[in-house]
Amino acid sequence: MAELVQRYLDQILADHVSSTDGALADYIPELARVDPDGFGLSLSLADGYVYESGDPTIEFTIQSVSKPFTYALALERIGRDAVDAKIGVEPSGEAFNVISVDEATKTPMNPMINAGAIAAVSLIPGATADERFNQIHEFYSACAGRQLAVDDDVYSSEKVTGSRNRAIAYMLQSFGVLDGDPDEILDVYVRQCSIKVTTTDLARMAATLARGGVEAVEERRVASAEVVQRTLSVMVTCGMYDAAGDWVSAVGMPAKSGVGGGIAAVLPGQLGIGVYSPRLDSKGNSVRGVEVCRALSANLGLHFLSVTRESRSTIRHTYDASPGVRVYELHGDLLFTGAEQVLRTLDQECGEFDVAILELSRIDDIDDAARRMLAGMRQSLSAAGKEGFVVDPDDVLRVTQQTYARVFGTLDEALNAARAHRAGSDG
Ligand code: GLU
């Protein structure tokens, strides 16, 4: 059956293979030497399964696709407040290499333009350039699930042509944004941009973000869920150079492109995409890369804001197990809206029972918001002279009995306690 998906991806690539629009980046001379026809696509599902199409073995330099990952690493290492003090999260609407900062704060507008990315490098703790770079290198490798290497030719090529980035770094230093020597920080930035990846690496790195920071090959957490949420947010608003608005409406996935021709796109909770084709449009995005992502999004329904259906009812079944004892079977993921539905239903129906039993054995996941909301259940029920029990064999509520309703391992135990309670003999 997986072949159907494979054929589907091959067809999308075939549909775009003949397009030769755009041009290779040439401001870094080495980038102009790649095969302009190189074309690859990889799609990594949340469970780590990867589909590949075209040529997924081509290695290219990550360039600006590195930016969200160094930003995530900075957030991870020094925390959000310290990062926010140096880098904003507002789309600049300007080209990636513009020499500018926020008028009021004198800090880079966001981490996806060069000024913000160079500042992000300076926030990675390290006494030397090597120490900083090693952390970045290790982090990207951990996200990709394999050890990545640096393209020394591209690195040297950009080192000698990087006047604009040098201007940006010195400007940032003059505004007190850079922690460290501008030339050393630039060296790390250029090295990070020269890390070699394949589309499969990009897809895996994107999938690590899609999984909230857990890499699929080693099943290792490399970043916290909060850091990933922050990172994806800036990818949505600033990831595709100055074409972010068009990208979000047409493709609808947090993404980052690079002048090496790569794009990484993330569908949170579901998958990561890596695509490569080195001919770029005037904004610096891979022409065929964008076309492929558009096609994938439209045909596979991957837009992150597409509302396919309203969230399912959390209460799958309600019945009276014995007079005055009502059982509510819940299922799926219990988040804010589900917990709200449960509480409102109990409120409306509490005239019809003495004891409510919430059956949670079919709940897949529950978040802290829902936990907090259910915490108040027993209290509100007892205000109405009622009792609330919970059947929670997997301990998804992870709570003490005092705070919440009484918790039981099986429905039978809960029913016995409910009947005893009604009979007035509950101890
Ligand atoms: N190393 C490149 C630069 O700083 C990255 C640019 C990009 O991919 O947007 O100019």
Side-chain angles (χ1 to χ4, degrees), residues 310-423:
E310 292 175 49
S311 40
R312 274 195 313 170
S313 169
T314 299
I315 303 173
R316 73 184 280 276
H317 185 42
T318 307
Y319 60 94
D320 289 329
S322 58
V325 180
R326 185 162 292 181
V327 179
Y328 295 88
E329 286 181 1
L330 312 187
H331 69 160
D333 291 342
L334 194 54
L335 310 177
F336 165 77
T337 50
E340 187 278 335
Q341 185 198 20
V342 171
L343 294 182
R344 188 152 37 93
T345 306
L346 289 178
D347 225 26
Q348 282 161 359
E349 297 183 0
C350 77
E352 300 163 25
F353 59 74
D354 295 325
V355 183
I357 299 178
L358 296 189
E359 227 282 55
L360 303 189
S361 48
R362 285 190 184 81
I363 289 292
D364 297 323
D365 201 7
I366 176 166
D367 71 357
D368 285 339
R371 272 197 193 95
R372 280 196 300 274
M373 290 170 72
L374 288 189
M377 173 185 96
R378 189 178 198 189
Q379 220 176 6
S380 8
L381 282 176
S382 69
K386 310 290 167 153
E387 179 59 282
F389 292 167
V390 171
V391 179
D392 186 14
D394 302 322
D395 196 25
V396 293
L397 278 182
R398 279 191 265 115
V399 290
T400 56
Q401 302 223 353
Q402 293 82 352
T403 350
Y404 289 76
R406 284 181 58 190
V407 180
F408 298 89
T410 67
L411 180 60
D412 278 346
E413 286 165 19
L415 287 174
N416 287 339
R419 291 180 189 121
H421 174 80
R422 285 199 78 240

Side-chain angles (χ1 to χ4, degrees), residues 27-28 63-64 67 96 114 158 165 189 193 241 257-260:
Y27 75 102
I28 301 173
Q63 297 298 337
S64 282
K67 288 169 177 168
F96 68 99
N114 286 9
E158 186 170 358
N165 283 337
Y189 170 72
C193 290
Y241 301 115
S257 57
V259 294

